[in-house]
Amino acid sequence: MIKVENLIGLSITQFFCKKFDSNSTGYTEIVVQISNYYLQITVNDDTDELIVHIPSLIETNQYFIPD
């Protein structure tokens, strides 16, 4: 299992976004690639809380790279 503490000091290598919603002001999911790890960030619509998940693998073809 990857812990957040393992990501400290590593470089961000890429950002990925998913499901841009034209009815809102942003993306529904953002993935930050940090070295060989991924940090997946989503929002709980009911509570407006950020949900942070560190998956072991991301299918990057589901995302696009923002400008």
Side-chain angles (χ1 to χ4, degrees):
M1 173 192 282
I2 301 167
K3 296 182 179 182
V4 173
E5 294 85 20
N6 297 346
L7 303 177
I8 295 172
L10 299 179
S11 297
I12 294 173
T13 55
Q14 190 64 266
F15 280 93
F16 299 96
C17 297
K18 188 175 184 181
K19 298 180 184 174
F20 181 77
D21 184 358
S22 60
N23 296 327
S24 70
T25 58
Y27 305 103
T28 58
E29 185 177 331
I30 296 174
V31 174
V32 181
Q33 183 177 356
I34 303 171
S35 293
N36 294 324
Y37 303 106
Y38 296 95
L39 189 66
Q40 183 179 32
I41 305 166
T42 57
V43 176
N44 181 322
D45 290 332
D46 296 329
T47 62
D48 287 337
E49 294 176 316
L50 289 177
I51 302 166
V52 179
H53 178 69
I54 304 173
S56 57
L57 185 62
I58 288 284
E59 298 266 346
T60 56
N61 60 349
Q62 299 177 22
Y63 300 87
F64 67 94
I65 299 171
D67 295 333

